[in-house]
């Protein structure tokens, strides 16, 4: 597993070949969702790739933090 907190612009393809290479090598790509919420479609790249997994910030109430980014990603939300 690779766990990162990278935050590029939404729909940025710069990281995609790297993330796809990790997946091909059997490495699970996990990213923080980012802090651009609370609106929908606020995930940045590379967390918005279909190959990636995102984790949102969670408040002590157990709900997604008001500041946390949310999907769907720029590339959809249906993993291959």
């Amino acid at each position: 597993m690779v766990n990162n907190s990278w935050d590029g612009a939404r729909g940025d393809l710069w990281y995609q070949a790297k993330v796809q290479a990790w997946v091909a090598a059997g490495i699970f790509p996990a990213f923080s969702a980012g802090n651009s919420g609370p609106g929908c479609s606020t995930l940045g790249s590379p967390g918005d790739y279909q190959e990636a997994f995102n984790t949102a910030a969670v408040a002590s109430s157990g709900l997604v933090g008001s500041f946390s980014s949310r999907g769907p990603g720029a590339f959809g939300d249906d993993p291959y």
Side-chain angles (χ1 to χ4, degrees):
M1 176 167 77
V2 174
N3 182 3
N4 291 289
S5 187
W6 299 341
D7 187 26
R10 178 176 170 78
D12 185 351
L13 296 174
W14 192 87
Y15 302 95
Q16 192 169 40
K18 295 151 189 70
V19 173
Q20 289 173 340
W22 293 341
V23 171
I27 299 170
F28 183 80
F31 296 95
S32 63
N35 299 326
S36 299
C40 293
S41 301
T42 53
L43 293 173
S45 294
D48 61 350
Y49 300 159
Q50 290 194 20
E51 300 90 349
F53 180 84
N54 281 285
T55 303
V58 179
S60 60
S61 65
L63 300 174
V64 176
S66 61
F67 57 88
S68 190
S69 297
R70 291 160 171 77
F75 302 98
D77 60 359
D78 184 21
Y80 50 98

